[in-house]
Amino acid sequence: MSPTKLKKMDTRIKKIKKAALELKEFSGGIQAVDQNASRILASVKMLEINISDILDLRS
């Protein structure tokens, strides 16, 4: 995969993470929102391991 595509994916992963963190912040303690945002963040972590960390190794 080209470095350009990896960088685009990395940028999108970071945006997803930011959005999930903001969602948890805005949830006002709604448990369902907090739990689902936590699940999103767990998936984002796996994406970071798979994509973002590859970029770090290439740099």
Side-chain angles (χ1 to χ4, degrees):
M1 181 165 287
S2 73
T4 304
K5 285 186 178 182
L6 286 172
K7 287 178 185 176
K8 285 181 181 181
M9 284 193 283
D10 181 57
T11 300
R12 187 62 52 98
I13 290 166
K14 288 175 181 173
K15 287 179 182 180
I16 294 168
K17 183 177 183 176
K18 182 179 183 227
L21 289 169
E22 288 173 348
L23 188 60
K24 282 186 82 159
E25 183 180 324
F26 300 146
S27 74
I30 299 171
Q31 191 174 11
V33 176
D34 287 340
Q35 289 176 349
N36 284 305
S38 292
R39 287 184 184 98
I40 292 168
L41 289 168
S43 294
V44 166
K45 184 62 181 173
M46 298 312 302
L47 288 168
E48 287 175 335
I49 290 169
N50 291 312
I51 301 299
S52 302
D53 290 351
I54 291 171
L55 281 174
D56 292 341
L57 291 174
R58 288 184 166 205
S59 299

